[in-house]
């Protein structure tokens, strides 16, 4: 039963919100454990799991060697027979080494066993470009994973979402991928007290506006907000911002509803422009809101290239407020 | 033949160059001139310098993100290396790769790689090509003991043994993979045992004496070149700095670091050179020339141009 009390808010950092969510779920459910490189003694490469080894012990906070395919597979096997693992990838780039385990095993077990086995597992870690970490360490991996039926993909942009979706992911009976972001770990935000869980597949309108809809996820919410503020100050077009929050399931309905009001849509994401959830969203919106569109849907994306190390070039490769503004102007010019 | 004294003096200079170069890099990093990850090789110089002294120009070198030393020794100029760290177009990868991705095709430096173990099969591939063409080149692959637990390493090791590829695998066991000591990575303390299961020759030694490193690696290189037989070497060493610039290294004690510093390869070479009659003056001269070279490369990197925007997509395809 839910008791309605005035929910109090506390300010946390993104990484603390993730940690709280995991700790609360570990308190609640003994089957939940964490496994990954440097999650224990080192307190997490990005300090997300700080303090958890001391609190829960080495049985439940497990340092692994560098063997992503091996420990991802071990966690999947353990989940098949009743445990509920949380697997940390030091960054999502390294999940490529475990891709076969996620694609061929985690995502497939339920279907190919005719529903006999479920895989209640969470894979999590920071995703996307950090800062000058170059070609092999800057992948926005959600674009690959969002294609796979059988798994869920979560990309929390706010601190409250980080906590609520992490809890939801741990409680879900399916493989859930939580793609966090190193550049968000230090951000602060309000988190409601108590046992707050968010449902997958419900986007959030982060800013109401009249003239153009910006649909985005994860860290790219920040340049969208910044661009919208700048436009508001300069008397430019008013932007409505939809944060998709989960990419599978993908809530295009909220975007369609917004487009019915604004008539224009720009999809903003860090991943490469070729295909992916951004293109999927465009496909759905043009079919369901064709009559409402006053302009073609545009996308503002990472450039179609490997990430360069040089800072200036890296900045040119990832969308920022400037490129979002340019896309808004372009879509308004129709 | 160059006498052993001059050879050692040359290797000593290489080791000092690596150390001074990386100290300068650490300083530039703290000044914000270098970004991303910066992994320093300081303390491990005896390994790369000794090993690469056993190679010929036609041989291939592949390594991890901790790659400055290998490039400098193979002949990439200090200028091109420092400029790469500064992200400049004059760098050895045009400022696109940064610290973790030094490449130098002319010097058969096939690169520094960021995914742990992912480069080990690449090195075996260079050895495969060499055997295919019959050109007598040997591939040398460096990796940390952290690679020994990942699939790509095991698969490459197995294939190299099965197909008799001319390669030397050098596991630089510096005791820690990031904050993880070897005993939390592997159930055995001797990484070279990995060779046994695939029927490969192995060797294991400490990298304090750079000449010993050269001679032990030379045995493996000869085996590869003459008999197409691979070897797994476990090179025992230690890094004095954190895993990268962002790692304070709190998982080990100052006592331990001080203890390992007594096995310093540069210190050891200095002693050996003195024993061979090299004067303080001569050592000072070498050090002064290294310092000048490092100072010059920092200035060069500072003054070099950044890569143009057109380079972002320029190398997508051949
Ligand atoms: C597949 C993969 N997993 C994780 C990482 C993150 N990572 C980078 S270096 C490193 C430690 C490697 O240690 P080791 O192999 O001993 O080499 P060292 O850094 O000591 O030279 C880790 C975990 C990575 N780069 N690739």
């Amino acid at each position: 039963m839910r008791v309605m009390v005035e929910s109090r808010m506390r300010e946390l950092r993104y990484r603390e919100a993730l940690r709280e969510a995991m700790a609360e779920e570990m308190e609640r459910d003994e089957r939940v454990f964490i496994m990954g490189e440097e999650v224990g003694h080192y307190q997490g490469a990005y300090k997300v799991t700080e303090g958890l080894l001391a609190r829960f012990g080495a049985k439940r906070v497990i340092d692994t060697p560098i063997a992503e395919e091996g420990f991802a597979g071990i966690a999947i096997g353990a989940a098949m027979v009743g445990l509920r693992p949380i697997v940390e990838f030091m960054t999502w780039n390294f999940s490529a080494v475990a891709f076969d385990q996620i694609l061929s095993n985690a995502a497939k077990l339920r279907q190919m066993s005719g529903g006999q086995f479920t895989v209640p597992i969470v894979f999590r870690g920071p995703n996307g470009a950090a800062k000058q970490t170059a070609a092999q360490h800057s992948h926005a991996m959600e674009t690959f994973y969002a294609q796979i039926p059988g798994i869920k993909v979560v990309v929390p942009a706010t601190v409250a979402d980080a906590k609520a979706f992490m809890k939801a992911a741990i409680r879900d009976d399916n493989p859930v991928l939580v793609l966090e972001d190193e550049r968000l770990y230090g951000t602060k935000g309000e988190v409601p007290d108590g046992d707050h869980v968010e449902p997958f597949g419900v986007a959030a309108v982060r800013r109401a506006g009249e003239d153009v809809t910006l649909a985005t996820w994860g860290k790219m919410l920040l340049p969208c907000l910044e661009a919208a503020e700048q436009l508001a100050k300069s008397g430019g077009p008013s932007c409505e911002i939809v944060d998709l929050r989960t990419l599978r399931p993908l809530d295009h309905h909220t975007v369609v509803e917004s487009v019915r009001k604004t008539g224009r849509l720009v999809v903003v994401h860090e991943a490469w422009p070729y295909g992916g959830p951004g293109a999927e969203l465009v496909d759905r919106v043009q079919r369901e809101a064709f009559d409402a569109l006053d302009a073609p849907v545009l996308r503002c994306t990472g450039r179609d290239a490997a990430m360069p190390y040089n800072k200036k070039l890296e900045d040119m490769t990832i969308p920022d407020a400037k490129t979002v503004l340019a896309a808004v102007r372009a879509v308004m010019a129709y | 033949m160059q006498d052993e004294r001059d050879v050692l003096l040359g290797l000593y200079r290489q080791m000092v160059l690596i150390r001074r170069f990386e100290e300068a890099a650490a300083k530039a990093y703290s000044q914000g001139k270098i970004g991303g990850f910066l992994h320093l090789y300081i303390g491990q110089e005896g390994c790369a310098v000794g090993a690469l002294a056993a190679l010929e120009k036609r041989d291939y070198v592949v390594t991890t993100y901790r790659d400055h030393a290998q490039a400098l020794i193979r002949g990439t100029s200090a200028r091109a290396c420092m400029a790469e760290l500064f992200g400049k177009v004059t760098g050895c990868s045009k400022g696109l790769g940064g610290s973790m991705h030094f490449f130098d095709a002319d010097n058969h430096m096939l690169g520094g790689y960021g995914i742990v173990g992912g480069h080990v099969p690449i090195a075996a591939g260079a050895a495969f090509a060499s055997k295919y063409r019959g050109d007598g080149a040997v591939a040398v692959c460096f990796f940390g003991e952290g690679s020994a637990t990942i699939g790509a390493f095991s698969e490459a090791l197995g294939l190299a043994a099965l197909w008799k590829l001319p390669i030397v695998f050098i596991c630089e066991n510096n005791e820690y993979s990031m904050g993880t000591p070897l005993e939390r990575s592997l159930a055995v303390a001797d990484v070279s045992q990995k060779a046994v299961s695939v029927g490969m020759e192995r060797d294991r030694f400490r990298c304090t004496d750079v000449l010993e490193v050269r001679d032990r690696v030379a045995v493996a290189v000869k085996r590869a070149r003459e008999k197409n037989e691979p070897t797994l070497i476990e090179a025992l060493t230690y890094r004095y700095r954190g895993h990268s610039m962002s790692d304070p290294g709190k998982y080990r004690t100052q006592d331990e670091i001080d203890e390992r510093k007594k096995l310093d390869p540069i210190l050891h070479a200095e002693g050996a050179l003195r024993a061979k009659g090299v004067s303080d003056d001569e050592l000072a001269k070498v050090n002064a020339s290294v310092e000048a070279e490092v100072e010059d490369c920092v200035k060069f990197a500072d003054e070099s141009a950044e890569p143009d925007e057109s380079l972002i997509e320029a190398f997508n395809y051949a």
Side-chain angles (χ1 to χ4, degrees):
Chain A
M1 201 185 74
R2 196 153 174 187
V3 185
M4 295 304 292
V5 288
E6 198 187 327
S7 129
R8 256 177 312 181
M9 303 291 276
R10 281 174 310 132
E11 191 177 66
L12 290 180
R13 286 186 198 278
Y14 190 98
R15 63 159 60 79
E16 294 163 346
L18 293 168
R19 186 189 308 144
E20 261 194 19
M22 291 190 285
E24 287 174 16
E25 293 306 298
M26 286 175 79
E27 289 289 0
R28 204 181 53 79
D29 186 344
E30 236 175 68
R31 298 168 300 173
V32 179
F33 65 93
I34 299 173
M35 179 183 267
E37 290 156 18
E38 310 290 0
V39 296
H41 288 90
Y42 197 81
Q43 312 299 325
Y46 298 98
K47 304 291 169 254
V48 175
T49 55
E50 190 167 32
L52 296 184
L53 174 63
R55 185 158 161 201
F56 295 101
K59 183 182 170 191
R60 300 180 71 193
V61 180
I62 302 161
D63 278 320
T64 68
I66 307 170
E68 282 82 358
E69 185 177 7
F71 66 74
I74 283 176
I76 293 167
M80 281 177 77
V81 295
L83 299 186
R84 302 183 78 88
I86 304 170
V87 174
E88 174 175 311
F89 290 121
M90 189 177 283
T91 78
W92 272 98
N93 299 291
F94 313 137
S95 77
V97 175
F99 189 65
D100 182 57
Q101 287 296 336
I102 299 173
L103 172 71
S104 304
N105 291 338
K108 300 293 156 53
L109 271 158
R110 189 166 164 77
Q111 186 272 349
M112 66 188 181
S113 69
Q116 295 178 77
F117 287 99
T118 55
V119 183
I121 192 169
V122 176
F123 294 100
R124 53 153 292 269
N127 177 54
K131 220 175 143 205
Q132 283 192 274
T133 53
Q136 297 188 318
H137 281 77
S138 302
H139 295 114
M141 298 293 287
E142 75 276 20
T143 193
F144 306 114
Y145 290 114
Q147 294 222 322
I148 306 173
I151 59 180
K152 301 183 180 180
V153 178
V154 190
V155 279
T158 69
V159 178
D161 275 5
K163 181 166 181 192
F165 279 114
M166 181 57 68
K167 288 174 78 88
I170 296 167
R171 291 181 192 185
D172 199 278
D173 282 333
N174 298 285
V176 181
L177 279 51
V178 183
L179 295 102
E180 305 150 11
D181 202 297
E182 191 191 331
R183 297 202 202 188
L184 293 177
Y185 280 153
T187 56
K188 289 181 185 167
E190 301 264 279
V191 175
D193 262 346
D195 197 30
H196 186 69
V197 174
E198 288 285 337
F200 299 124
V202 183
V205 176
R206 299 295 183 196
R207 185 182 198 284
E210 302 302 323
D211 304 321
V212 54
T213 303
L214 303 179
T216 192
W217 62 85
K219 157 178 81 200
M220 285 297 118
L221 176 61
L222 301 178
C224 288
L225 288 168
E226 193 185 326
E229 280 317 307
Q230 281 184 28
L231 286 167
K233 274 194 206 127
S234 62
S238 132
C239 303
E240 178 145 307
I241 301 178
V242 180
D243 172 6
L244 293 167
R245 303 158 102 203
T246 69
L247 299 177
R248 182 181 270 274
L250 179 69
D251 172 17
H252 64 282
H253 303 292
T254 301
V255 180
V256 165
E257 215 173 286
S258 172
V259 167
R260 291 212 170 280
K261 182 168 68 169
T262 62
R264 288 179 163 83
L265 173 62
V266 176
V267 181
V268 181
H269 59 78
E270 182 182 333
W272 289 312
Y274 197 119
E280 172 69 19
L281 180 65
V282 176
D283 172 63
R284 294 189 195 182
V285 170
Q286 62 84 23
R287 255 180 294 124
E288 294 200 11
F290 184 69
D291 56 318
L293 285 167
D294 296 326
V297 179
L298 299 187
R299 283 193 295 150
C300 173
T301 73
R303 275 167 78 156
D304 193 26
M307 192 63 74
Y309 162 73
N310 173 275
K311 175 150 193 338
K312 192 182 77 186
L313 299 197
E314 184 189 47
D315 288 345
M316 289 171 173
T317 304
I318 307 168
D320 58 13
K322 240 176 37 213
T323 44
V324 174
L325 279 174
V328 169
R329 283 194 205 102
V331 84
M332 293 307 297
Y334 274 95
Chain B
M1 269 270 303
Q2 222 184 349
D3 78 23
E4 203 67 346
R5 175 189 183 279
D6 291 346
V7 170
L8 182 55
L9 201 56
L11 299 183
Y12 170 75
R13 188 184 190 282
Q14 287 184 351
M15 292 195 288
V16 176
L17 174 64
I18 294 161
R19 192 164 293 186
R20 296 290 103 80
F21 176 90
E22 291 203 329
E23 286 164 358
K27 184 170 160 205
Y29 190 91
S30 63
Q31 294 168 338
K33 294 180 176 176
I34 298 173
F37 291 124
L38 182 69
H39 307 85
L40 302 182
Y41 198 68
I42 291 176
Q44 302 184 201
E45 297 91 340
C47 182
V49 170
L52 297 189
L55 295 193
E56 297 175 9
K57 181 123 180 88
R58 63 178 157 166
D59 296 333
Y60 296 108
V61 175
V62 183
T63 189
T64 68
Y65 43 84
R66 201 179 296 284
D67 59 356
H68 312 150
Q70 279 81 354
L72 284 167
I73 303 161
R74 280 304 278 183
T76 314
S77 71
R79 284 183 163 198
C81 289
M82 193 59 82
E84 189 58 37
L85 296 181
F86 280 47
K88 299 298 179 73
V89 71
T90 50
C92 56
S93 302
K94 297 195 167 59
L96 300 177
S99 166
M100 297 194 289
H101 308 303
F102 279 18
F103 285 81
D104 186 346
D106 288 345
N107 286 307
H108 287 198
M109 164 62 176
L110 305 193
Y113 293 81
I115 306 301
V116 167
H119 65 300
V120 184
I122 301 282
F128 179 94
S130 153
K131 186 176 176 188
Y132 186 93
R133 288 193 300 249
D135 61 15
V138 171
V140 171
C141 184
F142 294 88
F143 49 91
E145 79 286 356
S147 279
T149 53
I150 203 156
F153 163 78
S154 295
E155 294 184 29
L157 206 71
L159 291 172
L162 179 70
W163 290 343
K164 289 181 149 294
L165 302 180
I167 183 166
V168 181
F169 297 99
I170 301 182
C171 174
E172 298 189 79
N173 179 356
N174 60 13
E175 301 188 30
Y176 296 88
S177 70
M178 252 173 114
T180 304
L182 183 62
E183 74 262 19
R184 279 203 268 113
S185 278
L186 215 56
V188 296
D190 179 344
V191 180
S192 77
Q193 285 185 27
K194 289 272 183 187
V196 178
S197 67
V198 296
M200 188 183 289
E201 292 289 337
R202 61 181 172 138
D203 197 3
R204 186 170 196 258
F205 49 82
R206 188 159 283 286
C207 297
T208 299
D209 177 355
V210 70
L211 290 177
E212 188 197 347
V213 175
R214 179 200 59 181
D215 295 343
R216 301 278 285 262
V217 172
V219 172
V221 169
K222 188 163 186 279
R223 185 182 293 133
R225 204 178 318 276
E226 293 176 1
K227 299 200 284 186
N228 279 320
E229 279 179 16
T231 306
L232 172 61
I233 290 174
E234 181 179 0
L236 303 169
T237 182
Y238 198 79
R239 63 167 158 73
Y240 300 162
R241 306 293 185 103
H243 169 72
S244 70
M245 291 301 285
S246 56
D247 169 30
K250 284 189 276 193
Y251 41 83
R252 51 191 196 170
T253 62
Q254 191 57 43
D255 279 355
E256 177 180 305
I257 298 170
D258 292 343
E259 205 48 46
R260 297 298 188 281
K261 280 186 174 172
K262 291 178 187 159
L263 303 170
D264 187 75
I266 294 179
L267 207 63
H268 183 277
E270 259 167 20
L273 285 167
R274 285 211 175 84
K276 286 182 199 297
V278 174
S279 67
D280 285 353
D281 245 20
E282 227 172 323
L283 288 178
K285 258 199 349 236
V286 170
N287 278 282
S289 92
V290 164
E291 265 152 44
E293 186 174 348
V294 170
E295 205 173 302
D296 167 76
C297 79
V298 173
K299 184 162 182 285
F300 173 80
D302 245 337
E303 290 169 357
S304 286
E306 306 221 33
D308 185 76
E309 180 177 358
S310 64
L311 291 195
I312 293 176
E313 282 99 0
F315 302 110
N316 274 6
Y317 298 98

